[in-house]
Amino acid sequence: SQKIEQNSEALNIQEGKTATLTCNYTNYSPAYLQWYRQDPGRGPVFLLLIRENEKEKRKERLKVTFDTTLKQSLFHITASQPADSATYLCALARRHGQNFVFGPGTRLSVLP
Amino acid sequence: NAGVTQTPKFQVLKTGQSMTLQCAQDMNHEYMSWYRQDPGMGLRLIHYSVGAGITDQGEVPNGYNVSRSTTEDFPLRLLSAAPSQTSVYFCASSYGEDTQYFGPGTRLTVL
């Protein structure tokens, strides 16, 4: 069966360090992979999208990689700040449009 | 733009009651979806729509109904509420680039 795993339920890092979150999937061939941020009591907010033919995408302090051979995406936040503390979700879709499948999320805490 | 709005924010139902969760978007998006979010399970797709008059089932559709009579609105109906439907429900919309915009959520408790 299809499965999406995110490296851990919770991740604590020191302010200023690089946070690396992992999204692994099995029995799935996504055309798109997205990362979202979710704060407590709020809906997810879109951060980045990467397509299957792209290896890396950057946006300000964020970087996403996508390795379809390893079936893995890495999400990096450089120079992390306490304001980056949130739950981060990865989502995969086979094609343009709906039918996104979400991972369970990783709760990141950046300690001052 | 208000984006995606959902009402109510909180709701408590008794087993067997029915209700409708409202979702509206003012971005003229083609795609709209309903998800439920449970601890440790991530977001699971309930139903989705690719345009007015077109709906389809997602991963967990049982016990829920949807309709899409306009581009803006996509209500979710619980036919006969069960405790297993206690969850946080999110509506989302998207157009073109697959970026989904989520509403603030409805926290539903079924007693």
Side-chain angles (χ1 to χ4, degrees), chain A residues 32 34 36 38 41-44 46 49 51 89 95-100 102-104, chain B residues 31-33 35 37 40-43 45 48 90 94 96-100 102-104:
Chain A
Y32 305 85
Q34 301 179 336
Y36 289 81
Q38 187 174 23
R42 294 182 175 268
F46 171 80
L49 177 150
R51 294 178 173 82
L89 309 170
R95 62 184 185 277
H96 172 79
Q98 293 305 295
N99 294 330
F100 283 94
F102 280 80
Chain B
Y31 302 103
M32 296 187 74
S33 306
Y35 294 88
Q37 187 172 38
M41 299 194 71
L43 287 153
L45 183 65
Y48 65 99
F90 288 101
S94 63
E97 288 299 312
D98 298 282
T99 302
Q100 291 192 93
F102 283 82

Side-chain angles (χ1 to χ4, degrees), chain B residues 51-96:
Chain B
I54 306 170
T55 64
D56 207 345
Q57 296 181 348
E59 180 187 355
V60 288
N62 292 343
Y64 307 95
N65 245 354
V66 292
S67 59
R68 185 98 179 267
S69 55
T70 66
T71 300
E72 294 77 21
D73 299 299
F74 191 43
L76 177 73
R77 295 182 190 84
L78 278 70
L79 308 172
S80 176
S84 61
Q85 293 178 305
T86 293
S87 187
V88 181
Y89 291 85
F90 288 101
C91 178
S93 73
S94 63
Y95 178 80

